[in-house]
Amino acid sequence: MPTVKRDTYTPDSLLSVAVRVFNERGYDGTSMEHLSQAAGISKSSIYHHVRGKEELLRRGISRALDGLFGILDEPAAREGRAVERLEYVTRRTVEVLMTELPYVTLLLRVRGNTDTERWAMDRRREFDQRVAGLVKEATAQGDLRSDVDARLATRLLFGMINSIAEWYRPERAAGEGSGDTSAEVAEAVVRTAFAGLRTH
Protein backbone atom coordinates (compact mmCIF):
# COMPACT_ATOMS: atom_id res chain seq x y z
CA MET A 1 0.00 0.00 0.00
CA PRO A 2 1.39 3.42 -0.98
CA THR A 3 0.69 4.89 2.44
CA VAL A 4 2.82 2.28 4.17
CA LYS A 5 5.67 2.81 1.68
CA ARG A 6 5.55 6.56 2.23
CA ASP A 7 5.82 6.00 5.94
CA THR A 8 8.75 3.59 5.69
CA TYR A 9 10.76 5.22 2.88
CA THR A 10 13.87 7.08 4.00
CA PRO A 11 16.18 9.42 2.08
CA ASP A 12 18.84 6.65 2.12
CA SER A 13 16.55 3.94 0.75
CA LEU A 14 15.25 6.35 -1.91
CA LEU A 15 18.83 7.20 -2.87
CA SER A 16 19.68 3.51 -3.17
CA VAL A 17 16.78 2.97 -5.59
CA ALA A 18 17.63 6.11 -7.59
CA VAL A 19 21.30 5.14 -7.99
CA ARG A 20 20.28 1.67 -9.19
CA VAL A 21 17.93 3.17 -11.79
CA PHE A 22 20.54 5.75 -12.91
CA ASN A 23 23.05 2.94 -13.42
CA GLU A 24 20.53 0.82 -15.35
CA ARG A 25 19.02 3.53 -17.57
CA GLY A 26 21.67 6.26 -17.51
CA TYR A 27 21.03 9.54 -15.72
CA ASP A 28 19.76 11.29 -18.86
CA GLY A 29 17.46 8.36 -19.65
CA THR A 30 15.86 8.41 -16.18
CA SER A 31 12.73 10.44 -15.49
CA MET A 32 11.03 11.17 -12.20
CA GLU A 33 8.32 8.76 -13.40
CA HIS A 34 10.93 5.98 -13.67
CA LEU A 35 12.12 6.74 -10.15
CA SER A 36 8.56 6.82 -8.84
CA GLN A 37 7.77 3.41 -10.38
CA ALA A 38 11.03 1.83 -9.15
CA ALA A 39 10.51 3.15 -5.62
CA GLY A 40 6.82 2.27 -5.56
CA ILE A 41 5.89 5.72 -4.29
CA SER A 42 4.35 8.78 -5.93
CA LYS A 43 6.42 11.55 -7.49
CA SER A 44 5.10 13.94 -4.84
CA SER A 45 6.49 11.60 -2.16
CA ILE A 46 9.91 11.78 -3.82
CA TYR A 47 9.70 15.57 -3.90
CA HIS A 48 9.02 15.42 -0.16
CA HIS A 49 12.63 14.14 0.23
CA VAL A 50 14.48 15.93 -2.61
CA ARG A 51 14.11 18.84 -5.04
CA GLY A 52 14.55 16.61 -8.07
CA LYS A 53 16.59 13.91 -9.71
CA GLU A 54 19.76 16.03 -9.92
CA GLU A 55 19.81 16.27 -6.13
CA LEU A 56 19.66 12.47 -5.99
CA LEU A 57 22.52 12.33 -8.49
CA ARG A 58 24.59 14.71 -6.38
CA ARG A 59 23.92 12.73 -3.20
CA GLY A 60 24.89 9.47 -4.88
CA ILE A 61 28.09 10.89 -6.34
CA SER A 62 28.94 12.62 -3.06
CA ARG A 63 28.79 9.30 -1.26
CA ALA A 64 31.38 7.87 -3.67
CA LEU A 65 33.60 10.96 -3.53
CA ASP A 66 33.45 11.16 0.26
CA GLY A 67 34.67 7.56 0.42
CA LEU A 68 37.53 8.18 -2.01
CA PHE A 69 38.73 11.47 -0.55
CA GLY A 70 38.42 10.01 2.94
CA ILE A 71 41.19 7.57 1.99
CA LEU A 72 43.64 10.43 1.46
CA ASP A 73 43.11 11.57 5.06
CA GLU A 74 43.83 8.16 6.59
CA PRO A 75 47.18 7.99 8.47
CA ALA A 76 48.70 5.35 6.16
CA ALA A 77 47.99 7.61 3.16
CA ARG A 78 49.83 10.50 4.81
CA GLU A 79 52.84 8.92 6.52
CA GLY A 80 55.80 6.91 5.25
CA ARG A 81 57.53 6.58 1.91
CA ALA A 82 55.51 7.72 -1.09
CA VAL A 83 55.42 4.26 -2.69
CA GLU A 84 53.96 2.74 0.48
CA ARG A 85 51.36 5.50 0.68
CA LEU A 86 50.56 4.95 -3.01
CA GLU A 87 50.10 1.22 -2.53
CA TYR A 88 47.87 1.90 0.47
CA VAL A 89 45.74 4.40 -1.48
CA THR A 90 45.46 1.92 -4.37
CA ARG A 91 44.39 -0.89 -2.04
CA ARG A 92 41.84 1.27 -0.24
CA THR A 93 40.46 2.71 -3.49
CA VAL A 94 39.66 -0.83 -4.64
CA GLU A 95 38.02 -1.57 -1.29
CA VAL A 96 35.90 1.59 -1.41
CA LEU A 97 34.88 0.87 -5.00
CA MET A 98 33.74 -2.64 -4.08
CA THR A 99 32.00 -1.57 -0.86
CA GLU A 100 30.23 1.39 -2.48
CA LEU A 101 29.93 -0.24 -5.92
CA PRO A 102 26.64 1.36 -7.14
CA TYR A 103 27.74 4.83 -6.04
CA VAL A 104 31.26 4.62 -7.51
CA THR A 105 29.80 3.13 -10.72
CA LEU A 106 27.53 6.17 -10.96
CA LEU A 107 30.52 8.48 -10.45
CA LEU A 108 32.48 6.70 -13.20
CA ARG A 109 29.61 7.08 -15.67
CA VAL A 110 28.99 10.83 -15.42
CA ARG A 111 29.48 12.63 -18.72
CA GLY A 112 29.46 16.32 -17.81
CA ASN A 113 25.96 17.15 -19.10
CA THR A 114 24.80 18.91 -15.91
CA ASP A 115 26.36 21.17 -13.27
CA THR A 116 26.46 18.23 -10.86
CA GLU A 117 28.24 16.01 -13.40
CA ARG A 118 30.81 18.72 -14.20
CA TRP A 119 31.43 19.20 -10.47
CA ALA A 120 31.90 15.43 -10.10
CA MET A 121 34.37 15.30 -12.98
CA ASP A 122 36.38 18.15 -11.44
CA ARG A 123 36.50 16.29 -8.12
CA ARG A 124 37.59 13.08 -9.85
CA ARG A 125 40.40 14.98 -11.58
CA GLU A 126 41.45 16.43 -8.24
CA PHE A 127 41.62 12.92 -6.74
CA ASP A 128 43.60 11.64 -9.75
CA GLN A 129 46.03 14.57 -9.48
CA ARG A 130 46.69 13.86 -5.83
CA VAL A 131 47.44 10.23 -6.64
CA ALA A 132 49.65 11.33 -9.56
CA GLY A 133 51.52 13.49 -7.04
CA LEU A 134 52.27 10.34 -5.01
CA VAL A 135 53.48 8.59 -8.19
CA LYS A 136 55.85 11.50 -8.93
CA GLU A 137 57.11 11.55 -5.36
CA ALA A 138 57.72 7.78 -5.35
CA THR A 139 59.56 8.08 -8.67
CA ALA A 140 61.72 10.90 -7.31
CA GLN A 141 62.58 8.72 -4.30
CA GLY A 142 63.73 5.98 -6.67
CA ASP A 143 61.01 3.47 -5.75
CA LEU A 144 59.13 3.60 -9.07
CA ARG A 145 60.45 3.39 -12.61
CA SER A 146 61.36 6.75 -14.07
CA ASP A 147 60.77 5.65 -17.69
CA VAL A 148 56.98 5.60 -17.19
CA ASP A 149 55.33 9.04 -17.14
CA ALA A 150 53.56 9.69 -13.81
CA ARG A 151 50.29 10.76 -15.44
CA LEU A 152 50.30 7.71 -17.70
CA ALA A 153 51.07 5.41 -14.76
CA THR A 154 48.19 6.99 -12.83
CA ARG A 155 45.78 6.52 -15.76
CA LEU A 156 46.80 2.89 -16.16
CA LEU A 157 46.40 2.29 -12.43
CA PHE A 158 42.92 3.81 -12.36
CA GLY A 159 42.03 2.00 -15.58
CA MET A 160 42.68 -1.28 -13.80
CA ILE A 161 40.83 -0.22 -10.64
CA ASN A 162 37.84 1.29 -12.43
CA SER A 163 37.37 -1.79 -14.62
CA ILE A 164 36.31 -3.66 -11.46
CA ALA A 165 33.01 -1.74 -11.60
CA GLU A 166 32.29 -3.40 -14.95
CA TRP A 167 32.75 -7.03 -13.91
CA TYR A 168 32.45 -7.34 -10.13
CA ARG A 169 29.01 -8.46 -8.93
CA PRO A 170 28.88 -9.01 -5.15
CA GLU A 171 25.75 -11.16 -5.32
CA ARG A 172 27.37 -13.48 -7.89
CA ALA A 173 30.61 -13.71 -5.91
CA ALA A 174 28.64 -14.61 -2.77
CA GLY A 175 26.51 -17.18 -4.61
CA GLU A 176 29.51 -18.88 -6.18
CA GLY A 177 31.52 -18.74 -2.98
CA SER A 178 34.37 -17.39 -5.12
CA GLY A 179 35.99 -15.58 -2.22
CA ASP A 180 36.50 -12.42 -4.23
CA THR A 181 36.60 -10.20 -1.18
CA SER A 182 37.56 -6.55 -1.52
CA ALA A 183 40.84 -7.26 0.31
CA GLU A 184 41.74 -10.09 -2.09
CA VAL A 185 40.92 -8.10 -5.22
CA ALA A 186 42.77 -5.07 -3.81
CA GLU A 187 45.86 -7.18 -3.13
CA ALA A 188 45.75 -8.62 -6.67
CA VAL A 189 45.57 -5.10 -8.16
CA VAL A 190 48.49 -3.88 -6.04
CA ARG A 191 50.66 -6.89 -6.91
CA THR A 192 49.87 -6.73 -10.61
CA ALA A 193 50.33 -2.98 -10.97
CA PHE A 194 53.37 -2.49 -8.79
CA ALA A 195 55.22 -5.53 -10.12
CA GLY A 196 55.63 -3.47 -13.30
CA LEU A 197 56.15 -0.08 -11.65
CA ARG A 198 58.42 -0.73 -8.66
CA THR A 199 62.18 -0.59 -9.09
CA HIS A 200 62.71 -3.20 -6.35
Side-chain angles (χ1 to χ4, degrees):
M1 285 170 42
T3 321
V4 175
K5 290 205 174 185
R6 262 201 301 276
D7 290 342
T8 59
Y9 243 88
T10 66
D12 281 347
S13 58
L14 176 60
L15 179 62
S16 176
V17 170
V19 168
R20 176 174 54 78
V21 177
F22 291 155
N23 284 333
E24 287 170 359
R25 304 185 61 89
Y27 175 72
D28 291 335
T30 301
S31 67
M32 289 299 284
E33 183 64 33
H34 293 132
L35 295 177
S36 166
Q37 288 174 0
I41 57 176
S42 67
K43 284 191 277 187
S44 61
S45 295
I46 295 176
Y47 285 119
H48 174 73
H49 293 291
V50 293
R51 289 186 298 276
K53 72 171 189 168
E54 191 164 354
E55 184 178 335
L56 287 164
L57 176 68
R58 191 176 186 97
R59 286 186 185 183
I61 288 170
S62 292
R63 180 161 162 170
L65 287 167
D66 288 349
L68 292 171
F69 275 92
I71 295 166
L72 301 177
D73 291 327
E74 293 171 7
R78 300 166 63 92
E79 300 159 9
R81 287 186 75 80
V83 71
E84 290 163 1
R85 287 183 279 143
L86 180 61
E87 287 187 353
Y88 177 81
V89 168
T90 300
R91 191 174 281 109
R92 289 286 293 121
T93 300
V94 173
E95 291 171 355
V96 166
L97 183 149
M98 292 176 72
T99 303
E100 301 288 357
L101 185 64
Y103 303 93
V104 178
T105 299
L106 182 63
L107 171 64
L108 295 175
R109 291 182 179 172
V110 297
R111 294 290 172 260
N113 297 330
T114 65
D115 287 343
T116 295
E117 290 177 279
R118 287 186 285 276
W119 162 78
M121 291 173 79
D122 285 344
R123 293 286 282 155
R124 265 189 71 187
R125 275 191 288 273
E126 182 186 340
F127 184 81
D128 291 356
Q129 285 163 2
R130 289 182 63 178
V131 175
L134 280 176
V135 173
K136 286 178 186 168
E137 193 178 339
T139 303
Q141 291 174 351
D143 292 322
L144 293 184
R145 293 168 50 163
S146 58
D147 60 340
V148 179
D149 177 74
R151 283 178 302 179
L152 176 59
T154 306
R155 286 192 185 115
L156 292 171
L157 193 57
F158 279 116
M160 188 187 302
I161 294 169
N162 295 343
S163 72
I164 296 167
E166 299 304 320
W167 58 261
Y168 179 68
R169 296 294 172 267
E171 66 283 353
R172 196 181 311 150
E176 294 169 358
S178 67
D180 283 337
T181 66
S182 59
E184 288 167 335
V185 175
E187 189 58 34
V189 169
V190 168
R191 287 185 181 207
T192 304
F194 288 93
L197 288 172
R198 266 187 176 269
T199 54
H200 51 83

